[in-house]
Amino acid sequence: MLPAFALVGLTVACGAGGSGAGDVKPSSSAAAPGSGDVGAVAKDDALAGMVPADVKADGKILVGQDQSYPPNEFQDNGKAAGFDVDLGTAIGQVLGVQMEFQNASFDGIIPGIGSKKYEMAMSSFSITSERLQTVDMISYYKAGTSLGVVKGNPDGIKVDDLCGKKVAVQKGTTQVEDLDKKNAACTGAGKPAIDVTQLQAQTDVNLALTAKRVQAELADSPVVDYAVKQTNGALEVVGEPYDTAPYGIVLGKNSGDFGKAVQGAVQKLIDSGAYKKILDKWGLSAAGSVTKSEINPAS
């Protein structure tokens, strides 16, 4: 079930006054009704047996997730929903455990893995060499960065020339690093710096753009594509996605058999066709699908 973007992306923005701060609900939520329905996904006893005893002792895996990033992860009537939720739920079915998705601030999730607050994270994390220094990551999808603007692009925004423009981005994402590099190039060339607005939730980034408080946003390609669709074309994408990189499921460093079990579950879903059903459900581009899941692939 796809909710209206006006509800998910605008009025339910995770933050007071559009800042995104202080309003990320820490409570856990199960998947939205029917969100894990991708057909029969059978438990694999061999893979289930590889899940560490301390992880499966309570029969569930606690998953850290920033539920402000539709269509990948968001809240639908208080329940976790989206591509990552459906895929995570299916992984749990293969491993014989329930997935419990806990809403959290994006930039606090990986530290939460390190402190063992979460046992797993699925929140559109691009695999980077920096992240691989502290966590293990299992690849499951590919996405690039897209530039979103209001329909008609009245300010003539270009991906390769954001100097002096007002651009919104979610805090802690790879797009922040991208803007840092672009900003250095602007000032190095004697041009005006990019006016960067960092917000805690992606829903607030979308709101800032539709409200025309900024001139553009940078986010993962499926997220910007979804925003365009759900606003009935009030927004548009400029150019093609760039810096395509794999998404990774996040586990603690040196995850051992746990990592092998999760990777094996993802691969089983790919091979069985359940993975494709999930992608199709959320309208995600076939260009982002993968045929092989890997642990700690080169970023």
Side-chain angles (χ1 to χ4, degrees):
M1 178 173 62
L2 293 179
F5 182 79
L7 295 177
V8 174
L10 302 180
T11 59
V12 193
C14 298
S19 69
D23 194 34
V24 177
K25 298 178 179 62
S27 59
S28 301
S29 58
S35 68
D37 183 12
V38 294
V41 177
K43 177 182 177 181
D44 185 303
D45 290 334
L47 292 173
M50 296 171 67
V51 179
D54 61 336
V55 173
K56 62 184 178 183
D58 58 359
K60 64 183 181 182
I61 293 176
L62 185 58
V63 184
Q65 189 173 74
D66 175 6
Q67 295 164 3
S68 75
Y69 214 58
N72 297 355
E73 43 269 329
F74 58 96
Q75 289 196 358
D76 180 12
N77 294 322
K79 298 292 185 180
F83 164 56
D84 279 346
V85 174
D86 282 356
L87 184 62
T89 299
I91 290 170
Q93 290 172 355
V94 174
L95 299 180
V97 293
Q98 179 183 352
M99 293 295 200
E100 184 173 317
F101 302 93
Q102 187 171 81
N103 195 14
S105 170
F106 183 79
D107 58 350
I109 295 175
I110 286 183
I113 290 287
S115 66
K116 299 187 178 181
K117 180 179 181 180
Y118 310 115
E119 294 164 309
M120 178 187 291
M122 285 188 74
S123 199
S124 306
F125 282 104
S126 298
I127 297 176
T128 66
S129 56
E130 291 78 13
R131 287 171 176 161
L132 289 176
Q133 291 176 15
T134 58
V135 295
D136 285 351
M137 303 186 81
I138 295 98
S139 60
Y140 66 98
Y141 187 72
K142 295 180 295 184
T145 292
S146 284
L147 174 68
V149 299
V150 296
K151 185 175 178 61
N153 194 10
D155 296 313
I157 308 293
K158 298 179 181 179
V159 173
D160 58 357
D161 186 9
L162 296 176
C163 304
K165 305 299 184 184
K166 297 179 179 179
V167 182
V169 66
Q170 185 183 19
K171 185 178 180 181
T173 60
T174 55
Q175 284 80 25
V176 174
E177 299 173 8
D178 181 32
L179 282 174
D180 286 343
K181 294 176 183 177
K182 292 182 186 299
N183 230 339
C186 288
T187 56
K191 297 181 179 180
I194 303 169
D195 184 355
V196 178
T197 297
Q198 292 190 44
L199 299 174
Q200 194 69 54
Q202 179 60 36
T203 43
D204 284 346
V205 174
N206 297 337
L207 177 59
L209 180 56
T210 56
K212 299 182 180 180
R213 293 198 297 269
V214 296
Q215 298 166 289
E217 68 170 37
L218 287 179
D220 286 359
S221 47
V223 173
V224 178
D225 288 345
Y226 186 80
V228 170
K229 293 176 183 176
Q230 297 304 309
T231 55
N232 295 318
L235 304 179
E236 67 178 62
V237 178
V238 176
E240 298 294 326
Y242 63 95
D243 287 349
T244 298
Y247 281 166
I249 298 167
V250 182
L251 300 176
K253 195 66 180 172
N254 301 317
S255 56
D257 282 348
F258 190 20
K260 293 177 183 177
V262 173
Q263 182 274 331
V266 175
Q267 191 63 52
K268 188 176 183 70
L269 293 169
I270 292 171
D271 295 341
S272 70
Y275 172 79
K276 183 179 184 302
K277 289 181 180 179
I278 297 171
L279 290 178
D280 290 345
K281 173 181 175 179
W282 292 103
L284 296 181
S285 170
S289 65
V290 298
T291 58
K292 183 179 180 181
S293 174
E294 299 177 283
I295 301 176
N296 294 333
S299 60

